[in-house]
Amino acid sequence: MGGTWAPRPSTGPHKRRECLPLVVLLRNRLRYALNFREATLIVKDRHGSVMVDGKVRKDVKYPTGFMDVISLPQTKEHFRLLYDTKGRFQVLRIDEAEAKFKLCKVKNRIVGPNHVPYIITHDGRTFRYPHPDIKINDSIKLDLATGEISDFVKMEMGNLVMVTGGKNTGRVGTLSYLERHEGGFDIVHIKDAHGNVFATRLTYAFVIGKGKKPLVALPKGEGVKKSILEEQAEFIKKQAE
């Protein structure tokens, strides 16, 4: 039997098609392990060698997803999982100060039993009695040490967003226009740093900053997608060097 075999992610906070198991992260991306067995030894180490969002995880197939913070206490390294402009997961190295928080998108806002309001985020978290101004599609800034909401950013015109789905995945730009479609998908128009305008579904837009200043570090290129000709010119320039 041939082909490329990948480990099936465990059930967790992210969808199976929108996550990266820890074994793939350690073996294929960070290159800390040569094979599955070595990755298992690292994850199951009794000292807690791998932490996701501030909690020790010992499941080698634990699913890590967009905006998750992966910490390796023994090497004092921290990484955040983002997308590049080609829609691939990008493991971005961050400093210790930024590893103390993450951004979560509000997927739903519900009033539960006994009239208790609560919100549900993109990574399956639930927060009771949120701020009244926090609505669906807004982003909250989560303090990983306390598990409480320290700040939030509204889905408003002029704020910085990153696209998390569709053919524009990984692109970053300023929200410029919102189209409402009754019975269909709401569409947002986004302008990137180079002035290119593109559109995507509202559900794919993830607010990452107030105004033009991002709250988290961005991958190389700042989320600006290059054209085929720009990529070709860059490749030829590198070859000449």
Side-chain angles (χ1 to χ4, degrees):
M1 295 178 71
T4 303
W5 295 78
R8 183 183 188 275
S10 299
T11 304
H14 298 280
K15 292 182 180 178
R16 199 179 305 148
R17 290 184 176 274
E18 297 173 3
C19 70
L20 210 59
L22 281 179
V23 58
V24 175
L25 192 76
L26 294 170
R27 182 185 63 188
N28 300 63
R29 294 301 178 89
L30 299 179
R31 308 283 182 182
Y32 279 130
L34 292 173
N35 49 44
F36 191 98
R37 180 178 174 275
E38 287 186 7
T40 304
L41 290 174
I42 293 171
V43 173
K44 292 188 181 292
D45 178 47
R46 64 177 180 171
H47 300 295
S49 297
V50 181
M51 300 176 75
V52 180
D53 291 343
K55 291 187 177 180
V56 175
R57 299 294 178 186
K58 298 206 171 185
D59 180 6
V60 75
K61 297 180 183 178
Y62 182 83
T64 59
F66 183 67
M67 278 293 167
D68 280 1
V69 176
I70 297 94
S71 302
L72 307 176
Q74 293 185 355
T75 59
K76 296 182 180 179
E77 290 178 304
H78 306 278
F79 304 92
R80 191 186 299 280
L81 218 55
L82 297 172
Y83 290 113
D84 65 7
T85 52
K86 293 184 182 292
R88 302 170 298 197
F89 272 122
Q90 184 85 20
V91 185
L92 185 69
R93 191 184 299 270
I94 57 175
D95 57 26
E96 191 173 350
E98 195 177 320
K100 292 179 181 178
F101 71 89
K102 70 178 288 190
L103 299 180
C104 301
K105 180 176 179 176
V106 178
K107 285 289 188 181
N108 210 347
R109 185 184 176 100
I110 307 172
V111 177
N114 300 322
H115 306 285
V116 176
Y118 65 94
I119 57 173
I120 302 169
T121 61
H122 79 284
D123 57 352
R125 296 174 191 267
T126 302
F127 298 94
R128 288 160 49 103
Y129 299 105
H131 194 285
D133 292 341
I134 299 176
K135 305 295 182 185
I136 296 174
N137 294 321
D138 294 346
S139 291
I140 61 169
K141 185 177 180 181
L142 174 66
D143 188 325
L144 296 176
T146 61
E148 296 179 353
I149 300 172
S150 59
D151 197 6
F152 64 93
V153 193
K154 301 287 293 178
M155 177 69 79
E156 292 177 339
M157 301 305 124
N159 281 351
L160 202 65
V161 299
M162 177 179 270
V163 182
T164 60
K167 69 174 185 177
N168 291 312
T169 300
R171 296 182 73 175
V172 175
T174 306
L175 202 63
S176 58
Y177 184 64
L178 171 61
E179 294 178 12
R180 293 286 184 185
H181 294 276
E182 292 296 329
F185 296 104
D186 292 337
I187 304 296
V188 290
H189 294 260
I190 302 166
K191 180 185 279 189
D192 67 14
H194 288 186
N196 302 315
V197 179
F198 57 97
T200 189
R201 293 180 184 178
L202 176 63
T203 52
Y204 292 159
F206 192 114
V207 187
I208 59 169
K210 295 179 181 178
K212 294 185 178 180
K213 186 177 180 183
L215 295 174
V216 295
L218 296 176
K220 185 181 177 183
E222 302 292 320
V224 177
K225 190 173 185 178
K226 295 178 181 176
S227 67
I228 297 173
L229 294 176
E230 288 173 333
E231 288 182 355
Q232 184 189 42
E234 191 176 310
F235 179 75
I236 293 171
K237 186 178 178 182
K238 283 184 179 179
Q239 292 292 94
E241 293 173 356

